[in-house]
Amino acid sequence: MKPTNGSAADHLSPVLRPVHAGHGFEAALEQILQVIRLGLVAEGERLPAERELAERLRISRVTLREVLKVLHEQGLVESRRGRYGGTFVCRRTAAPDVTGIDIEDTLRFREVLELGAAELCAARELTRDQVARLRAALAATRDAAPEDYRRRDTLFHLTLTELSGSPSLAAHYAGVRAAVNGLLDCMPLLVRNLEHSQRQHTVLMTAVLTGDVAGAREVMREHCAGTAALVRGFLG
């Protein structure tokens, strides 16, 4: 399996942030768990090298290795030696446990953050590079195989929230998206729903790039409502 490359590492920026010294171990563990649960590094692919992770989190290599040891013990990552070695995300063998997740609260909070991100993005004048990132993220969802769609969908939404210009919004969204993905992983993939989502993504991006704030907000509201209806139908 190929290691993650530089562009893939860019997708980690909404989640991997410098942690406070007082609780570096716990905060670093939380962030790397989010990377895994969000699928920002796919199953079977390699996490960034220890040196890069430590620098991005601003923790010592010793603390990072303690974090990776916990992930090893939980069966979430594995180490491989050799030229293409490193720490790799393990393949999951069972659906995630969503016991204790308040479904309604999670869906409401997700909607608030998504609507805010769409509105902020549409109100901003994105740079050429930012526009290219958003277009690439959308293209990746369009070209994704069904089994990889949710991961690519997550990356598209994370890119949108990161481009909103609010690091706090992006950080909170990463957390709630991990919970939403836990719910979605308990449901079947529905081709018709995926096709509908793709049409909404396209309309959303057009609204964002043309500065249509109200339009971006409304299509995101419809998009979140569709997901919420499915979650309530299967898990409510």
Side-chain angles (χ1 to χ4, degrees), residues 119-140:
E119 184 174 339
L120 287 172
C121 262
R124 299 185 73 201
E125 185 173 347
L126 301 180
T127 66
R128 182 178 300 177
D129 287 345
Q130 289 172 331
V131 170
R133 281 187 59 197
L134 191 59
R135 289 187 184 279
L138 178 61

Side-chain angles (χ1 to χ4, degrees), residues 155-170:
L155 291 170
F156 173 73
H157 283 269
L158 280 170
T159 299
L160 190 73
T161 57
E162 186 181 8
L163 296 181
S164 71
S166 171
S168 295
L169 189 156

Side-chain angles (χ1 to χ4, degrees), residues 9-236:
D10 294 340
H11 291 308
L12 306 184
S13 55
V15 177
L16 294 182
R17 305 174 304 280
V19 301
H20 296 295
H23 57 284
F25 169 80
E26 293 83 1
L29 179 59
E30 178 187 18
Q31 290 188 30
I32 297 176
L33 280 169
Q34 282 189 353
V35 165
I36 294 171
R37 289 170 178 161
L38 289 167
L40 300 186
V41 177
E43 296 174 9
E45 292 190 352
R46 190 175 68 183
L47 290 172
E50 285 188 8
R51 180 178 179 180
E52 180 185 347
L53 279 175
E55 288 177 352
R56 293 176 76 132
L57 295 167
R58 293 186 188 169
I59 58 175
S60 70
R61 297 279 287 272
V62 172
T63 299
L64 176 62
R65 285 167 185 160
E66 291 175 350
V67 169
L68 295 178
K69 181 181 178 181
V70 171
L71 298 175
H72 275 284
E73 291 171 348
Q74 296 301 310
L76 296 173
V77 300
E78 63 180 5
S79 295
R80 301 179 193 172
R81 297 184 180 278
R83 182 178 179 184
Y84 297 108
T87 302
F88 291 76
V89 176
C90 294
R91 298 190 183 279
R92 285 187 295 194
T93 58
D97 182 7
V98 296
T99 304
I101 293 181
D102 186 327
I103 293 177
E104 287 302 320
D105 183 60
T106 298
L107 294 175
R108 283 194 294 267
F109 191 37
R110 182 255 177 131
E111 181 177 350
V112 167
L113 296 179
E114 292 268 27
L115 266 60
E119 184 174 339
L120 287 172
C121 262
R124 299 185 73 201
E125 185 173 347
L126 301 180
T127 66
R128 182 178 300 177
D129 287 345
Q130 289 172 331
V131 170
R133 281 187 59 197
L134 191 59
R135 289 187 184 279
L138 178 61
T141 64
R142 190 165 48 238
D143 299 335
E147 62 272 15
D148 196 37
Y149 181 82
R150 282 181 181 154
R151 186 174 76 91
R152 296 296 182 179
D153 177 67
T154 296
L155 291 170
F156 173 73
H157 283 269
L158 280 170
T159 299
L160 190 73
T161 57
E162 186 181 8
L163 296 181
S164 71
S166 171
S168 295
L169 189 156
H172 281 89
Y173 179 73
V176 77
R177 180 69 193 215
V180 170
N181 281 3
L183 299 174
L184 293 176
D185 285 343
C186 295
M187 298 161 42
L189 282 168
L190 305 176
V191 173
R192 184 172 181 180
N193 172 249
L194 300 188
E195 293 173 346
H196 186 211
S197 291
Q198 279 304 99
R199 290 194 294 270
Q200 290 176 326
H201 285 164
T202 301
V203 174
L204 172 63
M205 189 177 74
T206 299
V208 166
L209 298 184
T210 58
D212 182 359
V213 174
R217 187 177 181 87
E218 185 56 32
V219 70
M220 184 62 87
R221 188 191 304 279
E222 294 176 1
H223 187 63
C224 291
T227 301
L230 287 178
V231 170
R232 293 184 184 110
F234 280 101
L235 305 177

